[in-house]
Amino acid sequence: RVLKLVKSLPQLAVLVNALLMGFSSIGFIGLIMLLVFYVFAIVALILFRDNDPWHFGQLHIAMLTLFRVSTFEDWTDVMYINIYGCERYGYHDDQMESICGEKYGGKSDYGENPRGSGVLAAFYFIFFVIISGLVLLTLFIGVVTTAMDEAEQRQQEEVEVEQKAAEFAAEHA
């Protein structure tokens, strides 16, 4: 019944065909995004673990935080925590303040500021937002849009062929 529905609604057929045609490209873009997130998460662990243990304490949490950053969901809060340090920005919950204050305290083996703070954090997050949120997601949308155009053209060609076949059959009985 679902397949009959797809065949009876031409616009739905275009969407399904577009997704099927662009599936391999979408998969490759997904793989590239996974690699970018993985590499940036490892760099974030190295740079920001001392500064922001809540968001960058573990690899899987860092990848989820970076996904949040790439979708522009409060990404500036994550950036400011890492620019100014967890004791000076964010972490207004008692549990989170204890994580920041007891173990990390705003200082690291590298002196007063943790190693990932300041301009380095700003550069990291702005560069990541440009790469992940703007370039890769736009590439994903471009692949889907291109596949939709190709599917519409293919559907129009099929309709034209059917019309020519009907005209030829009518002319030659």
Side-chain angles (χ1 to χ4, degrees):
R1 290 183 180 186
V2 174
L3 293 176
K4 287 182 181 180
L5 179 66
V6 170
K7 287 184 178 183
S8 66
L9 297 172
Q11 293 299 330
L12 184 60
V14 169
L15 288 173
V16 170
N17 286 336
L19 289 176
L20 291 176
M21 286 172 41
F23 192 69
S24 64
S25 297
I26 290 170
F28 290 130
I29 292 171
L31 183 64
I32 290 170
M33 287 179 72
L34 180 68
L35 289 172
V36 167
F37 277 66
Y38 183 73
V39 168
F40 272 87
I42 290 173
V43 172
L45 284 175
I46 293 167
L47 294 177
F48 307 127
R49 181 181 295 186
D50 293 341
N51 201 22
D52 188 3
W54 184 260
H55 293 115
F56 297 107
Q58 299 173 346
L59 181 63
H60 67 285
I61 301 296
M63 288 183 74
L64 284 173
T65 300
L66 290 178
F67 180 75
R68 175 181 155 191
V69 168
S70 72
T71 59
F72 305 110
E73 173 65 29
D74 287 337
W75 75 277
T76 54
D77 287 340
V78 176
M79 181 178 70
Y80 290 143
I81 288 170
N82 289 290
I83 289 174
Y84 300 118
C86 64
E87 75 283 349
R88 283 177 253 147
Y89 188 91
Y91 286 12
H92 297 295
D93 184 6
D94 290 336
Q95 179 187 5
M96 293 174 75
E97 282 182 7
S98 67
I99 291 172
C100 178
E102 292 173 10
K103 188 173 179 182
Y104 297 97
K107 293 184 180 180
S108 71
D109 298 338
Y110 301 96
E112 182 67 29
N113 293 327
R115 86 177 99 174
S117 65
V119 176
L120 180 62
F123 177 75
Y124 173 88
F125 283 102
I126 291 171
F127 184 70
F128 179 75
V129 162
I130 289 171
I131 295 296
S132 68
L134 301 177
V135 174
L136 289 177
L137 291 178
T138 303
L139 183 63
F140 179 80
I141 292 168
V143 165
V144 171
T145 305
T146 302
M148 291 265 303
D149 288 341
E150 290 175 2
E152 284 180 3
Q153 287 176 350
R154 188 178 283 178
Q155 186 181 31
Q156 285 178 344
E157 290 172 359
E158 289 176 6
V159 168
E160 289 174 3
V161 167
E162 287 177 5
Q163 287 176 349
K164 287 181 182 179
E167 289 173 5
F168 184 78
E171 284 178 14
H172 298 301

